[in-house]
Amino acid sequence: LDRRPRERTQIVWSTRLLHDLPAIEAAASLRYTLRHDDWGLDVHALELEWRQAIGRDWLVTPRVRYTSQDAADFYRTLVVSNQAWLSIQTDPDGNVLGVTPWDPALLPDHYSADHRLSAYGTLSGGIAVRRRVARGLALELGFDYYRHSGSLRLGGGGEGSYSTFDSWTIDAALHLDLSRRALDRKRRQSDDVKVLGVEVEAGHAGH
């Protein structure tokens, strides 16, 4: 069963600290994000990333991320309704006087057992390696480990161990910078025009 509010108002605040280290061709990034909504969900996220260039074509990026979430106000793993599925009223002789079916209106206004609305914490870490193979074109391979557990929630008090799980992800990506390739094309066209202009002037001077 799942009955959620039809509307949701969310506020997101994020701040990021960047530090460039040109001496070693690296950059560090620290980001903090806070999400709050009127469902009672408060999410804190902290992410650290290190971008290390190796030569002209390689980029290695290790990263770590931690999140902590409070449960929604209407989250519950069990909904109890103190009523029979079908109630039959009879007189002392066994004659049926009335039938009262189960009434869903007697349930709480909102409820959900979706684990994404529970109280929990996550910890993940990974690394991505990118190699430029041509101007405006790069290949990337990444690996990430992710752990979801109620015990990782900030301050404790999250969901039980039944909600704990781990995952490993391997991904590959092709990055194509169309703006850079378009700029290169314009530069080549401009160079062709300049060369053509020189040839025309040289031909006119010969007459």
Side-chain angles (χ1 to χ4, degrees), residues 6-207:
R6 293 188 176 182
E7 297 182 354
R8 182 179 184 182
T9 302
Q10 186 177 70
I11 299 174
V12 180
W13 181 78
S14 180
T15 183
R16 186 180 185 185
L17 176 64
L18 294 172
H19 185 55
D20 191 21
L21 301 167
I24 58 174
E25 298 184 332
S29 170
L30 179 64
R31 180 192 294 273
Y32 170 74
T33 304
L34 171 64
R35 292 184 176 89
H36 170 78
D37 63 31
D38 55 0
W39 286 10
L41 285 172
D42 287 313
V43 183
H44 303 270
L46 188 65
E47 184 174 2
L48 176 63
E49 184 178 86
W50 181 276
R51 297 169 63 88
Q52 179 66 60
I54 302 176
R56 298 186 53 176
D57 298 329
W58 292 88
L59 179 65
V60 180
T61 308
R63 57 207 175 207
V64 178
R65 178 180 173 87
Y66 170 76
T67 63
S68 177
Q69 174 177 300
D70 296 335
D73 295 335
F74 53 87
Y75 173 77
R76 59 194 70 192
T77 56
L78 186 65
V79 177
V80 178
S81 178
N82 294 318
Q83 57 177 321
W85 180 255
L86 189 66
S87 178
I88 302 176
Q89 295 82 39
T90 61
D91 60 17
D93 297 328
N95 299 314
V96 177
L97 300 177
V99 177
T100 303
W102 177 76
D103 186 2
L106 298 179
L107 293 173
D109 292 336
H110 304 113
Y111 47 86
S112 176
D114 188 337
H115 73 91
R116 294 172 296 181
L117 301 177
S118 67
Y120 64 88
T122 69
L123 182 63
S124 62
I127 188 170
V129 179
R130 180 186 297 192
R131 185 181 188 279
R132 186 176 64 173
V133 295
R135 189 172 179 83
L137 181 64
L139 296 175
E140 181 174 309
L141 181 65
F143 170 80
D144 285 278
Y145 166 74
Y146 174 91
R147 181 172 180 80
H148 176 288
S149 176
S151 63
L152 289 175
R153 177 180 175 269
L154 191 65
E159 283 297 290
S161 59
Y162 60 85
S163 66
T164 299
F165 65 87
D166 302 91
S167 67
W168 293 264
T169 305
I170 298 176
D171 61 86
L174 176 66
H175 298 271
L176 180 61
D177 189 345
L178 296 177
S179 62
R180 182 180 294 274
R181 298 177 73 88
L183 180 61
D184 290 343
R185 185 165 55 251
K186 289 182 179 179
R187 286 176 177 173
R188 288 195 298 269
Q189 291 173 351
S190 177
D191 291 341
D192 292 342
V193 170
K194 290 179 181 179
V195 172
L196 180 60
V198 171
E199 292 177 348
V200 170
E201 290 180 2
H204 178 73
H207 283 290

